[in-house]
Amino acid sequence: PAALNTVRETINYKDSTYVLIYGASYGGGEGYPEQQIQVDFQVSPDSVAVFNAANGTSYPLLPEACYELTASSSSIAKGTVSTAPLALNINPSKGMELFKTYLLPVSIKSVVSAAAKINTKLATAYYLVTASLNLADFDDFDRSGWSIIGLSSEEESGEGPGNGRAIFVLDEDNTSFWHTRWSGGNAPAPHFLEFDMGEEKTIHGISTVGRTGSTSGRPEIIEVQFRSSEQEPWGEAIPVSLLNNNAVQRQFFDRSYQAKQVRIVIAKNFNNL
């Protein structure tokens, strides 16, 4: 039945299993089958190119780790017109990228019955699956075990006892702040902070808070990089644009990352300070 129209599903990006339905039906004006019909199913990667060519699209195949056909075979019993509903399980956290649409073609591979044959025009169901976000599904990490392992500079004395140094980025107090060195001369840009989270985590985005009470010099564009240990080079620079305020800004990446360490580079700040 799903072969009649393309099935479009948007699911929330999280480590959870979503269930879509597939199966087979008997029809064509032949009444009810007089014997059991075994139906075998398969995912058909070659059908991705066929679909894209017919529709002028370029959807990639859903990664194999993200889906599971709970049954590759089922039966239409004598005197009935369909198999039982079968579950197509999808877990977006196993390899899907955020907001990217994937194609999964599920086909009837074969039937075992002298009384039935496959209608080739309805042999493949096309599932278009997109992973989106629900902010309520994500919490900020507990940073009590984090440590700062690198920085470009910090203001150790000019901002008073409760501000200026990089450690205040991790103190859970949004009124304290890190500031680059200005007392005795400005430190040269670009500025950066590097963190070790104590263990490898799956990272979906970043939360930032601008300095309270000052609109000059807050980060406007930051670049975020990841790695799993000091022995590895830092990964790709992921640009994140920020607003010039002191609210909590939650920015999600277009894919998740596995990392133990994080590097944040200030690529541009407001008022060019």
Side-chain angles (χ1 to χ4, degrees), residues 148 160-173 176-178:
I148 294 174
N163 288 305
R165 291 185 289 125
I167 191 64
F168 295 117
V169 172
L170 301 178
D171 67 356
E172 304 292 346
D173 182 355
S176 65
F177 57 87
W178 163 58

Side-chain angles (χ1 to χ4, degrees), residues 152-234:
S152 57
S153 78
E154 61 184 354
E155 181 49 58
E156 297 184 354
S157 59
E159 299 288 353
N163 288 305
R165 291 185 289 125
I167 191 64
F168 295 117
V169 172
L170 301 178
D171 67 356
E172 304 292 346
D173 182 355
N174 288 350
T175 64
S176 65
F177 57 87
W178 163 58
H179 198 296
T180 55
R181 179 171 61 85
W182 58 265
S183 179
N186 293 332
H191 298 293
F192 66 88
L193 283 178
E194 296 172 353
F195 306 93
D196 189 295
M197 299 183 290
E199 62 181 0
E200 189 164 272
K201 296 179 180 292
T202 301
I203 303 169
H204 302 289
I206 186 170
S207 293
T208 61
V209 180
R211 176 180 174 177
T212 300
S214 175
T215 60
S216 297
R218 288 174 179 155
E220 182 177 358
I221 299 175
I222 62 175
E223 295 176 344
V224 187
Q225 297 172 277
F226 302 109
R227 68 183 182 185
S228 293
S229 70
E230 291 84 353
Q231 289 71 43
E232 296 180 7
W234 290 104

